[in-house]
């Protein structure tokens, strides 16, 4: 691994006040001023330049275009003719941004899927056009997207799951065909399988957690099956469990998970308050790269270089240090503004990661 690959952020970045203001103005149709699209373009240029200045091997657009409140995959589903879509479902606080529910219509089941407007391709093309570095595109994994949608009364959730999966495969193939060589799946749901309370709830609903986990893994593998030219990564985090005062139990969940995922780079957010936080990494096959979340994307306090160095040393006891890289625990942009850190703090946290990487691997 080159030094520049040793630091990677998850994808989303905190928007500056200028973009926040432009979003507010765009919601108020009577307000004038510069257009939201222009402000987005400018802000993306700025965050790309700041990532390049830090020497990051892969950059993103900060997912700044996704602040308009439409989840990218849900937005695609809105255009799939097989489904009628009712907008406006309110998600519980803390859930991922989205606002869509689905009702199945009576169209024939052989109606082809179309992806009339793949917004990820547009996002990729713009950022690739202004960056000297490779650009990463991330999307929510099919398991999580399915959980955000409602099948119509009488429709089976498996049909919805299959539809989401087929659509995501097309989206990823299109992005790779457009030239993207770094595709990341965001699969925040996995750690629920390591949480005894969530597992008990699944069993209570008649769900076999292991079978369910295997299905989620198969789907996350299938989504990137058409992306052979790209480096595929998968981000799993504790956003599911954040704010819940209990610790995941990784065995035997981690053994199944890490053994079966095909993604080359795994961006993992483990509970750093635990003495053996990195122990689950012993299950990761040695041909993978593990990007460990070592600065907290939700806590404004900027970690010290010494703190992060200690974490790297701990992780090195469970996984070859040569195959490790560093990241924040999750994307910096939070659904809940109250839990979001300042835009400048995110850059200082990335500076710490860059410095630690140069000391460890430089
Ligand atoms: Zn995350």
């Amino acid at each position: 691994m080159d030094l520049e690959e040793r630091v990677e952020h998850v994808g989303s970045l905190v928007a500056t006040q200028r973009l926040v203001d432009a979003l507010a103005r765009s919601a108020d149709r009577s307000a004038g001023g510069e257009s939201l699209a222009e402000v987005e373009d400018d802000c993306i240029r700025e965050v790309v330049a700041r990532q390049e200045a830090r020497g990051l091997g892969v950059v993103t657009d900060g997912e700044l275009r996704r602040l308009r409140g439409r989840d990218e995959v849900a937005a695609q589903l809105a255009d799939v003719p097989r489904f009628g879509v009712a907008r406006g479902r309110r998600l519980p606080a803390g859930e991922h941004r989205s606002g869509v529910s689905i009702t199945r219509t009576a169209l024939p089941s052989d109606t082809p899927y179309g992806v009339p407007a793949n917004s990820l391709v547009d996002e990729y093309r713009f950022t690739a056009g202004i960056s000297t570095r490779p650009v990463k595109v991330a999307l929510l994994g099919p398991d999580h997207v399915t959980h955000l949608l409602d099948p119509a009364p009488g429709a089976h959730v498996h049909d919805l799951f299959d539809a989401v999966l087929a659509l995501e495969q097309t989206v990823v193939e299109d992005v790779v065909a457009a030239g993207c060589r770094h595709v990341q799946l965001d699969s925040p749901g996995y750690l629920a399988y390591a949480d005894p309370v969530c597992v008990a709830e699944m069993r209570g609903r008649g769900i076999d957690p292991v079978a369910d986990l295997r299905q989620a893994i198969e789907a996350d593998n299938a989504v990137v099956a058409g992306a052979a030219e790209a480096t595929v990564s998968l981000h799993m985090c504790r956003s599911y469990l954040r704010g819940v005062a209990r610790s995941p139990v990784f065995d035997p969940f981690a053994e199944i998970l890490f053994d079966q995922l095909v993604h080359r780079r795994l961006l993992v957010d483990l509970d750093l308050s635990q003495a053996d936080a990195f122990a689950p990494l012993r299950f990761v096959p040695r041909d993978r790269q593990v990007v460990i979340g070592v600065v907290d994307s939700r806590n404004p306090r900027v970690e010290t270089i010494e703190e992060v160095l200690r974490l790297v040393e701990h992780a090195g006891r469970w996984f070859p240090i040569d195959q490790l890289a560093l990241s924040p625990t999750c994307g910096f942009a939070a659904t809940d503004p109250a839990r979001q850190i300042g835009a400048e703090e995110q850059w200082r946290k990335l500076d710490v990661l860059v410095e630690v990487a140069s000391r460890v691997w430089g």
Side-chain angles (χ1 to χ4, degrees):
M1 217 187 303
D2 295 337
L3 182 57
E4 62 183 22
E5 294 175 85
R6 300 287 182 180
V7 178
E8 176 171 352
H9 70 89
V10 172
S12 67
L13 294 168
V14 174
T16 54
Q17 194 57 44
R18 184 181 165 210
L19 179 53
V20 173
D21 291 345
L23 282 159
R25 269 201 316 275
S26 77
D28 173 9
R29 282 167 193 268
S30 63
E34 51 191 353
S35 84
L36 177 56
E38 283 168 14
V39 177
E40 284 172 343
D41 289 356
D42 277 357
C43 292
I44 290 168
R45 283 191 190 93
E46 187 195 330
V47 296
V48 166
R50 294 185 80 165
Q51 291 169 82
E52 290 183 345
R54 284 164 176 80
L56 302 189
V58 174
V59 301
T60 78
D61 64 2
E63 301 180 7
L64 296 182
R65 292 193 205 282
R66 300 183 190 179
L67 299 172
R68 297 184 185 208
R70 285 181 63 182
D71 178 78
E72 70 281 6
V73 174
Q76 304 308 327
L77 279 166
D79 298 321
V80 173
R82 200 168 148 189
F83 295 94
V85 178
R87 294 193 174 278
R89 179 183 168 205
R90 307 263 338 148
L91 290 159
E95 269 294 344
H96 206 280
R97 54 187 179 262
S98 187
V100 181
S101 66
I102 276 196
T103 41
R104 216 169 152 162
T105 63
L107 286 169
S109 60
D110 58 351
T111 304
Y113 291 107
V115 187
N118 186 341
S119 58
L120 270 71
V121 169
D122 298 338
E123 289 176 6
Y124 170 74
R125 287 212 172 105
F126 177 84
T127 312
I130 58 165
S131 175
T132 59
R133 303 268 174 169
V135 173
K136 177 170 79 173
V137 167
L139 70 163
L140 269 174
D143 190 56
H144 199 69
V145 170
T146 305
H147 281 120
L148 294 175
L149 303 169
D150 292 327
H156 202 281
V157 73
H158 287 154
D159 295 332
L160 179 60
F161 187 80
D162 290 347
V164 171
L165 174 56
L167 190 68
E168 291 208 336
Q169 286 175 318
T170 309
V171 167
V172 168
E173 281 167 19
D174 288 353
V175 166
V176 173
C180 180
R181 291 295 173 266
H182 292 270
V183 175
Q184 176 183 305
L185 280 189
D186 292 331
S187 296
Y190 277 124
L191 292 196
Y193 297 100
D195 175 45
V197 175
C198 290
V199 167
E201 280 170 10
M202 286 182 214
R203 291 215 166 94
R205 286 184 283 135
I207 295 168
D208 172 357
V210 173
D212 208 54
L213 170 63
R214 287 183 193 276
Q215 186 199 25
I217 294 170
E218 273 173 32
D220 278 351
N221 290 346
V223 166
V224 295
E229 303 98 318
T231 296
V232 292
S233 54
L234 184 137
H235 165 61
M236 62 187 79
C237 66
R238 295 180 302 127
S239 57
Y240 237 73
L241 303 176
R242 226 179 285 279
V244 180
R246 53 183 190 251
S247 294
V249 177
F250 281 96
D251 307 348
F253 146 86
E255 196 166 6
I256 299 170
L257 180 73
F258 291 134
D259 181 57
Q260 295 187 10
L261 285 174
V262 298
H263 308 73
R264 177 154 173 253
R265 246 167 118 82
L266 300 169
L267 288 81
V268 297
D269 165 23
L270 297 166
D271 185 353
L272 302 180
S273 69
Q274 301 292 308
D276 283 337
F278 297 105
L281 298 185
R282 71 190 185 281
F283 296 117
V284 180
R286 294 303 189 252
D287 62 343
R288 306 303 158 81
Q289 298 172 350
V290 179
V291 187
I292 46 176
V294 285
V295 293
D296 191 337
S297 55
R298 297 284 174 270
N299 186 341
R301 186 184 74 84
V302 179
E303 290 79 357
T304 66
I305 288 164
E306 288 67 31
E307 281 172 320
V308 177
L309 279 168
R310 260 198 307 278
L311 292 172
V312 176
E313 191 201 319
H314 282 165
R317 293 178 198 157
W318 299 101
F319 198 72
I321 218 157
D322 199 43
Q323 292 288 93
L324 289 177
L326 311 177
S327 78
T329 49
C330 191
F332 280 114
T335 324
D336 177 2
R339 294 172 57 225
Q340 189 163 286
I341 68 171
E344 288 312 309
E345 278 131 16
Q346 74 186 342
W347 298 112
R348 286 171 52 210
K349 283 173 183 264
L350 286 176
D351 287 338
V352 169
L353 297 184
V354 168
E355 176 59 26
V356 169
S358 80
R359 292 198 194 180
V360 176
W361 294 287

